[in-house]
Amino acid sequence: MAEAEPRYDVVVIGAGPGGYPAAIRAAQRGAKVAVIEKEKVGGTCLNWGCIPTKTLLASTELVAHAREAGSFGVKIEGITPDWTAIMERKQTVTDTLVRGILSLLKANKVELIAGTASLTPGKKVLVKGAEGDSTLEADRVIIATGSEPAELPTFDFSKPVVMTSTDALALQSVPKSLIIVGSGVIGSEFASIFSTMGTQIVMIELMDRMLPTEDSRVSKQMKSTFRKQGIEIKTETTVKEVLEYRDDGIKVEISSGDVLEAEKLLVSIGRRFNSGGLGLEDLGVELDERGRILVNDRMETNVGGIYAIGDVVGGIMLAHVATFEGLVAAENATGGSSTMDYSVVPACIFTTPEIGSVGLNTDRAAEQGIEVNVSRFSFGALGKAIAMGEDRGFVQLVIDAGTDKVLGAQIMGPHASDLIHEVTVAMKLGATAEDIATTIHAHPSLPEAIMEAAEAAHGKAIHVAPRGK
Ligand code: FAD
């Protein structure tokens, strides 16, 4: 008699920040769960994205601070960043976190299966692993296969001088010069990392401003900050063609007709959805023309019992969004009833200085004809920021002109990625600017800038001179 295929209540495909929390939540709810991963648990976020970039930034920010130590009255001589040691630390951090996920999966009795999964009719999941193929039976499937760096046909990615973000995170040495194609979040974070390491950087951006999806004031100030850091940004520009690939560099012609040369070129123009090869077409799962899996607000596809979450469903492609979508899918796949709410999602950019944003920005408010009161406070007027020597940037609140409710915020400055969460919670609770302004904030602290911006909305900020005086 043939051996019965192992049966699970829930099978999750992909163990990134979407998949592994989904697997754990389903197990917490009493389901028998397997998660299938073809590379490393933690996915892009932990291995080739959020965590490695932030670990490198922690090192480069330390270098930048050490270089400024003299102005704090501290003499540090001979600051020598060691790229090999920096990369080793990055790997140690990543390995520690991977081990943590492995032990969490084990403690929650989630079976981790190594291999590449695809779906076959009749609720079967085929796994191609190093030790051969196997088939599982699944009552419910959660697809959490994520995304990969998008490539541009202009470039030959088989040449080592052309890099994706994944390649840039494996560089053995710091390039002397770097062309970055795309000035979005990922391109800008790499620009911050490598410019501190002394790399000469030129960024090429198709749109009329860097960080084109951010509030225009943030883009403008970031551009001027980057310029002061020596990063050149060419907007409304594309790479026309590659003139030469060499072992030690690349020569390209850009749309203005100028020729640029650099040791490396990084393409950071977005991500493509990992929905190919999963057998979805045969099962009738709907995708859009770009390969994004279509889901409803319960994270369920058009085929009952098959859910999809994270980058592979597009929308806001961030780790914390993938996690929340995973939890919603896991609850629905185990008899619960949960829906995804995207109304208050913070997003952070870990440049120097950082950017944090949530909700509506001033450009979207103008496009949508929403009448808003925009209120700002500069870190240049904040005691704590000046004491820290980090007084660049501002807090901007976007407030409903009629109800005084906070609809959004943009923060550029020290710890913006932490500060944005005060506004995030306030928005989630439906707070008004008055609510924030009348909440006592500790002094001296960075969140005081948020309180002052809220006070300024009603002309009550103590540290802002009244207009025209
Ligand atoms: P992924 O993390 O991509 O995980 C998918 C997993 O599925 C992978 O491990 C893959 O190996 C596996 N898989 C794919 N196909 C199969 C298959 N057929 N069978 C088995 N396994 C499969 N987001 C933030 O919120 N903050 C940040 O600071 C941030 N920084 C980033 C920096 C960079 C350089 C990059 C590239 C991304 C960054 N992101 C950041 C985005 C974040 O990494 C993604 O939004 C997040 O990883 C998406 O999670 P996911 O679980 O949907 O997919």
Side-chain angles (χ1 to χ4, degrees):
M1 220 170 73
E3 223 177 277
E5 282 145 0
R7 207 208 122 264
Y8 297 89
D9 299 320
V10 178
V11 168
V12 182
I13 306 179
Y20 83 78
I24 291 175
R25 176 56 51 87
Q28 284 170 340
R29 290 171 59 82
K32 185 178 176 202
V33 185
V35 60
I36 306 163
E37 172 54 55
K38 69 178 170 125
E39 291 188 62
K40 283 174 131 190
V41 303
T44 305
C45 170
L46 185 37
N47 298 288
W48 310 283
C50 327
I51 298 295
T53 46
K54 270 84 257 182
T55 310
L56 294 183
L57 273 162
S59 291
T60 56
E61 277 167 8
L62 192 60
V63 172
H65 281 305
R67 284 185 186 138
E68 285 167 11
S71 65
F72 289 77
V74 179
K75 250 192 215 159
I76 303 181
E77 274 161 21
I79 303 152
T80 320
D82 174 349
W83 185 250
T84 307
I86 289 174
M87 292 296 267
E88 275 168 16
R89 177 173 184 274
K90 180 206 78 171
Q91 202 50 50
T92 307
V93 169
T94 300
D95 292 346
T96 307
L97 290 167
V98 165
R99 277 199 304 277
I101 294 174
L102 290 174
S103 71
L104 281 174
L105 291 173
K106 200 170 163 202
N108 282 283
K109 300 192 171 44
V110 172
E111 194 171 334
L112 174 64
I113 301 171
T116 302
S118 58
L119 301 176
T120 56
K123 296 189 172 173
K124 306 244 169 161
V125 181
L126 177 69
V127 184
K128 288 181 184 292
E131 280 152 31
D133 297 358
S134 57
T135 307
L136 324 173
E137 260 189 59
D139 270 2
R140 303 269 186 275
V141 175
I142 300 176
I143 302 168
T145 47
S147 64
E148 279 175 6
E151 298 186 351
L152 268 179
T154 320
F155 304 104
D156 178 351
F157 283 81
S158 70
K159 308 280 185 199
V161 284
V162 178
M163 304 188 295
T164 63
S165 59
T166 308
D167 304 321
L169 287 168
L171 273 174
Q172 300 295 310
S173 59
V174 177
K176 287 193 179 56
S177 51
L178 175 65
I179 297 169
I180 301 182
V181 180
S183 70
V185 176
I186 294 176
S188 298
E189 290 187 0
F190 277 108
S192 277
I193 292 170
F194 287 113
S195 91
T196 309
M197 293 300 295
T199 304
Q200 247 348 93
I201 296 170
V202 182
M203 299 183 85
I204 308 285
E205 173 57 53
L206 171 72
M207 307 297 278
D208 61 357
R209 58 192 173 95
M210 73 170 293
L211 294 171
T213 55
E214 292 305 304
D215 186 273
S216 43
R217 176 175 285 261
V218 170
S219 292
K220 206 168 146 204
Q221 283 221 15
M222 206 59 212
K223 185 174 182 181
S224 108
T225 306
F226 264 25
R227 284 214 159 132
K228 281 183 200 142
Q229 291 169 4
I231 301 167
E232 195 180 335
I233 301 159
K234 293 183 183 291
T235 48
E236 294 180 279
T237 305
T238 54
V239 174
K240 225 162 109 187
E241 63 172 321
V242 177
L243 301 175
E244 192 183 355
Y245 292 103
R246 293 191 312 268
D247 287 345
D248 62 347
I250 186 164
K251 194 195 270 191
V252 299
E253 183 183 339
I254 56 173
S255 46
S256 63
D258 288 346
V259 171
L260 305 178
E261 275 191 73
E263 189 180 323
K264 295 274 184 193
L265 181 142
L266 166 66
V267 179
S268 54
I269 50 143
R271 310 270 305 167
R272 67 161 189 243
F273 310 110
N274 267 343
S275 58
L278 288 168
L280 300 180
E281 295 79 0
D282 293 346
L283 293 175
V285 174
E286 268 176 20
L287 311 173
D288 75 2
E289 65 289 346
R290 292 169 58 218
R292 183 174 72 95
I293 302 179
L294 302 179
V295 287
N296 60 20
D297 64 357
R298 290 168 43 84
M299 307 315 297
E300 195 165 18
T301 67
N302 61 312
V303 176
I306 301 184
Y307 299 80
I309 58 154
D311 278 11
V312 77
V313 303
I316 309 173
M317 292 167 74
L318 291 171
H320 42 287
V321 176
T323 300
F324 266 75
E325 291 172 342
L327 301 181
V328 166
E331 277 164 27
N332 292 327
T334 50
S337 180
S338 190
T339 53
M340 193 58 205
D341 172 10
Y342 297 98
S343 57
V344 184
V345 177
C348 300
I349 308 178
F350 297 83
T351 40
T352 312
E354 292 181 350
I355 296 165
S357 60
V358 62
L360 196 66
N361 70 28
T362 59
D363 305 302
R364 296 293 99 73
E367 277 163 29
Q368 294 168 23
I370 301 171
E371 222 178 292
V372 291
N373 182 5
V374 180
S375 180
R376 290 183 203 100
F377 187 78
S378 162
F379 284 109
L382 191 77
K384 180 70 182 282
I386 297 171
M388 291 165 67
E390 294 192 46
D391 57 355
R392 287 170 300 179
F394 57 89
V395 171
Q396 174 171 282
L397 295 179
V398 181
I399 300 156
D400 188 295
T403 64
D404 195 41
K405 265 196 177 179
V406 179
L407 302 179
Q410 296 77 44
I411 304 179
M412 177 180 156
H415 296 280
S417 66
D418 301 315
L419 291 176
I420 198 64
H421 293 91
E422 172 172 341
V423 189
T424 304
V425 175
M427 282 176 62
K428 184 81 183 163
L429 298 175
T432 60
E434 183 73 13
D435 291 327
I436 296 179
T438 54
T439 301
I440 298 176
H441 286 61
H443 176 77
S445 69
L446 295 173
E448 283 179 295
I450 300 171
M451 179 186 71
E452 292 262 7
E455 287 174 334
H458 301 294
K460 291 182 188 165
I462 300 298
H463 299 96
V464 178
R467 284 211 181 117
K469 305 250 166 105

